[in-house]
Amino acid sequence: MEIGVDSFAATIPNPATGEVVAPADRIAALLDEVETADRVGLDVFGIGEHHRKEFLDSAPTVLLAAAAARTKTIRLASAVTVLSAADPVRTFQEFATIDLISKGRAEIVVGRGSFGEAYPLFGFAFEDYDALFAEKLDLLLQLRDSTDITWQGRFRPALTGQGVYPRPHQARLPVWLGVGGTPQSFVRAGTLGLPLMVAIIGGSFDRFRPLVELYREAGRAAGHAPESLRVGIHAMGFVADTDAAARDAFFPGWAHMFTEIGRERGWPPATRAQFDAMTGPHGAFLIGSPQTVRDKIRAANESLGGIARLTFQMSSAMLETGAMQRSIELLGHEVAPAFRAS
């Protein structure tokens, strides 16, 4: 199992003072986090894409390129690229360039995004989000496999044999399909034979088992080898020396973020009781001491029939810079080695 970190470059006000970390300082801290993850031997670091005031990751490829120049071995991925609102040609060129800078460590996780701001921002109708995604994913996969292609679609000008450069360092740039909870998305990933990245931000891991099996069955039906149907999990996670320290560091930022987002969607305010349930034995938050987190990863792995990659979404704890660094160190030194050994 590969283990890593995902970040949304969140900027959350301090609950006690209302102060917000200066954007330049938050970006500097993010790049320090990537360097730490690389130094302690984690496998992957992902950076999300959002177009909201709470996040600084609207241009994730720029951040990933900066991280590529400062790291040596860690793989660098999006988490996710909102492909429905992007130009696949430009997306491919940007990630091919990151791949060259990093000498073969770039990956793309494509998805439709969990927010809708990108669509009107770039001139697309949100109602077309699935048709946009299907068409653009088809083009991106063709670009990955061929330099010169002829292609025509509904939402983008046609390609008539133009060459798309640069080509990546890797022979085949990895593309994962990021999904939430719709069965159609799981089936699409399986049918295409793409590795699957499942965002689990609440509930339990068990409830995703039928969807993961749907993905595997669709992949087998399409003729893809079972070993090529890799399952990754993106989950809320944080490690500290004790369970209490991990929960106390993570909760304030999580409560603020989900209360604000929930207000837009008509949800009630996030509560400590909800949070404690999610960090309990049956919840999907991987938050606690190294031993607690190891136990929960093992349980998640069993629940889903085997996980190839697990990434910790730690951005909600960014108020505690020292605790963030400590969490990444514990993840690299005390959590990941246990799974590599087994």
Side-chain angles (χ1 to χ4, degrees):
M1 183 192 299
E2 296 175 334
I3 292 180
V5 175
D6 285 336
S7 176
F8 294 166
T11 57
I12 301 169
N14 187 306
T17 66
E19 294 181 0
V20 178
V21 175
D25 294 338
R26 178 67 187 108
I27 293 295
L30 170 63
L31 294 176
D32 287 344
E33 291 160 18
V34 184
E35 282 192 291
T36 299
D38 184 52
R39 174 174 54 80
V40 302
L42 291 178
D43 299 292
V44 60
F45 200 106
I47 296 178
E49 178 189 342
H50 300 84
H51 301 272
R52 299 170 57 92
K53 66 179 181 180
E54 302 98 329
F55 307 105
L56 299 173
D57 58 357
S58 63
T61 53
V62 177
L63 297 172
L64 289 168
R70 294 173 59 163
T71 55
K72 296 179 180 179
T73 61
I74 196 166
R75 299 194 68 77
L76 300 165
S78 54
V80 300
T81 295
V82 185
L83 189 62
S84 301
D87 178 1
V89 173
R90 198 61 175 148
T91 296
F92 180 83
Q93 290 174 323
E94 289 171 344
F95 277 91
T97 303
I98 295 168
D99 204 51
L100 294 172
I101 296 170
S102 66
K103 296 185 178 178
R105 294 185 281 123
E107 301 188 5
I108 313 176
V109 182
V110 295
R112 295 176 299 190
S114 56
F115 297 97
E117 290 84 358
Y119 294 86
L121 186 63
F122 295 109
F124 298 103
F126 183 75
E127 307 81 64
D128 294 328
Y129 78 103
D130 190 62
L132 282 161
F133 183 75
E135 178 178 299
K136 293 183 177 188
L137 178 59
D138 172 68
L139 176 54
L140 179 67
L141 295 178
Q142 290 192 47
L143 291 166
R144 178 177 69 162
D145 294 334
S146 179
T147 303
D148 307 295
I149 68 170
T150 299
W151 177 92
Q152 186 170 357
R154 172 184 167 195
F155 298 104
R156 189 199 184 282
L159 294 173
T160 56
Q162 297 95 327
V164 177
Y165 303 100
R167 304 308 296 178
H169 184 80
Q170 298 173 87
R172 203 163 189 252
L173 193 65
V175 176
W176 296 65
L177 204 156
V179 301
T182 62
Q184 296 86 349
S185 295
F186 285 79
V187 170
R188 174 160 38 209
T191 301
L192 293 171
L194 295 176
L196 181 77
M197 180 58 68
V198 188
I200 300 179
I201 60 171
S204 67
F205 292 107
D206 288 341
R207 72 186 181 94
F208 284 86
R209 179 63 180 263
L211 293 169
V212 169
E213 289 304 322
L214 193 63
Y215 160 72
R216 290 172 173 143
E217 180 55 38
R220 286 190 291 267
H224 301 293
E227 60 270 18
S228 70
L229 301 172
R230 304 175 66 206
V231 176
I233 298 298
H234 159 101
M236 298 285 178
F238 197 75
V239 192
D241 293 297
T242 66
D243 289 349
R247 292 172 182 175
D248 289 345
F250 200 87
F251 174 73
W254 173 85
H256 174 84
M257 184 179 296
F258 277 82
T259 294
E260 291 299 309
I261 292 170
R263 185 178 291 115
E264 298 174 8
R265 302 181 180 187
W267 302 343
T271 68
R272 183 65 192 235
Q274 291 173 321
F275 178 79
D276 289 341
M278 288 299 97
T279 58
H282 304 294
F285 287 4
L286 304 168
I287 296 173
S289 68
Q291 183 60 57
T292 294
V293 172
R294 287 195 296 264
D295 290 344
K296 294 200 76 172
I297 293 175
R298 289 191 182 94
N301 191 52
E302 293 173 4
S303 294
L304 297 174
I307 300 170
R309 175 177 290 181
L310 179 60
T311 55
F312 285 58
Q313 208 296 79
M314 295 186 179
S315 294
S316 297
M318 55 73 54
L319 296 170
E320 301 285 349
T321 303
M324 284 284 289
Q325 292 286 348
R326 177 64 175 160
S327 179
I328 294 169
E329 290 172 352
L330 288 170
L331 193 60
H333 289 153
E334 299 193 27
V335 176
F339 292 92
R340 295 194 185 105
S342 61

